[in-house]
Amino acid sequence: MNDISASPNNTHLLPRLYIEESLGVGGVVPLSDESAHYLRHVLRQEDGALLRLFNAAQGEFLGRLDYVGKRAAQARIFSVLRAPEKTFRRVHALFSPLKKDKMDFLIEKAVELGVTDLHPLVFQRSIVRDVKEERLHAQIINAAEQCERLDIPVLHHLTPLTQLLRNWEMSVSILAAMERRDFPSLIQESSKIDDSIAYLVGPEGGLTDEEMTQLLNIKSVRPVSLGPRILRAETAVLFGLSIINQ
Ligand code: SAM
């Protein structure tokens, strides 16, 4: 059993689980089958072990496992570790779905780099044209648990680019990465925006001329360059998010 009473600064070493339901000191939290399995079989936790429970609305808490069985577990909350964050800017990533391994990599790293909204889009040259939402949602939660975030990024439904642009909230600027054009750099343009921001990257085959024209005709779109080298789509997304995250 883990015991942090002697070293309260070591709470970061405790397992950390996202809980969708409301959390509060004194509360009893039934844990999902997957969490029970993870705690018992992967982390080898036993009844009485300490853990952390969190969500964006209430923050992060210290809890103790009442019991952890094969298919069920329950925790009891006894103190606050982190208050919820007040407001934070939204960072939207607009990208084409990729093949499984690249998509998994992209999702995990995008969560670590602070994305708040993931928008898979169908472009004219998109090769992959579907998204396994349930699987990706589980990966998003897993990445948020690992990287100490309180909020869980939103996975939006797969949408054609044209439809997204038609419904876009115009007050949010879209920095659109356009290859092989002489546009200002992403670093330069993103430093001018303090509010919520969106960042668009085309598919592996690139943006078509028609898509570039469509984007350039929208007031909230600011075209940007990522430098002289042509980056793979997943590299372009993560490069951009790490700059925006600064
Ligand atoms: N097949 C395209 C070509 O050869 O021109 C390259 C597409 S690139 C793999 C995928 C996307 O990443 C592009 O549509 C663009 O959004 C972004 N991208 C990659 N490198 C870029 C750069 N140097 N400047 C701007 N955007 C870039």
Side-chain angles (χ1 to χ4, degrees):
M1 189 196 307
N2 44 28
D3 184 357
I4 53 132
S5 51
S7 52
N9 292 334
N10 282 345
T11 51
H12 66 280
L13 298 175
L14 297 174
R16 184 170 188 267
L17 293 181
Y18 167 68
I19 304 291
E20 205 173 326
E21 292 76 28
S22 181
L23 297 172
V25 173
V28 170
V29 186
L31 304 177
S32 66
D33 287 5
E34 299 85 58
S35 298
H37 176 85
Y38 174 67
L39 290 167
R40 189 182 159 103
H41 298 288
V42 181
L43 300 182
R44 309 217 169 270
Q45 302 292 298
E46 295 171 0
D47 295 359
L50 296 170
L51 77 171
R52 294 177 291 162
L53 305 162
F54 74 96
N55 63 32
Q58 282 89 36
E60 186 167 309
F61 297 84
L62 188 59
R64 194 184 288 280
L65 283 170
D66 279 343
Y67 62 85
V68 54
K70 272 191 186 147
R71 307 200 105 256
Q74 178 177 292
R76 198 171 291 268
I77 297 176
F78 56 87
S79 66
V80 178
L81 290 174
R82 257 169 89 184
E85 285 151 9
K86 288 212 174 69
T87 50
F88 55 94
R89 81 199 289 227
R90 302 211 68 86
V91 176
H92 301 260
L94 282 47
F95 59 97
S96 179
L98 300 169
K99 289 187 185 143
K100 187 175 171 291
D101 290 353
K102 286 185 175 178
M103 188 72 166
D104 290 353
F105 182 77
L106 171 70
I107 296 286
E108 181 183 282
K109 303 303 166 208
V111 173
E112 289 175 22
L113 290 170
V115 77
T116 63
D117 292 77
L118 292 150
H119 298 260
L121 299 180
V122 181
F123 293 82
Q124 289 173 358
R125 293 194 181 127
S126 291
I127 297 165
V128 178
R129 288 173 173 259
D130 70 336
V131 163
K132 306 271 179 278
E133 281 191 10
E134 207 176 314
R135 201 173 62 84
L136 293 188
H137 186 60
Q139 283 174 347
I140 291 171
I141 292 179
N142 197 263
E145 288 174 342
Q146 298 293 323
C147 76
E148 307 271 335
R149 280 179 80 138
L150 284 179
D151 66 310
I152 302 294
V154 179
L155 176 65
H156 296 263
H157 296 308
L158 182 69
T159 313
L161 171 67
T162 7
Q163 190 179 320
L164 174 117
L165 294 177
R166 214 180 299 131
N167 301 325
W168 190 252
E169 165 79 65
M170 287 300 164
S171 60
V172 178
S173 299
I174 302 178
L175 300 183
M178 294 193 183
E179 66 273 27
R180 302 183 194 280
R181 297 282 195 286
D182 193 16
F183 288 122
S185 76
L186 173 67
I187 299 179
Q188 209 177 318
E189 288 300 293
S190 66
S191 67
K192 298 177 191 163
I193 304 170
D194 293 330
D195 303 331
S196 292
I197 188 168
Y199 172 56
L200 178 142
V201 166
E204 285 147 311
L207 296 164
T208 61
D209 288 345
E210 191 184 340
E211 286 170 334
M212 286 204 191
T213 309
Q214 189 182 9
L215 283 162
L216 292 171
N217 281 332
I218 295 176
K219 238 177 92 190
S220 55
V221 169
R222 301 191 196 180
V224 293
S225 164
L226 307 181
R229 288 175 297 279
I230 298 298
L231 308 181
R232 294 214 172 192
E234 66 277 19
T235 316
V237 174
L238 300 177
F239 170 76
L241 288 176
S242 57
I243 290 190
I244 290 165
N245 197 25
Q246 303 287 310

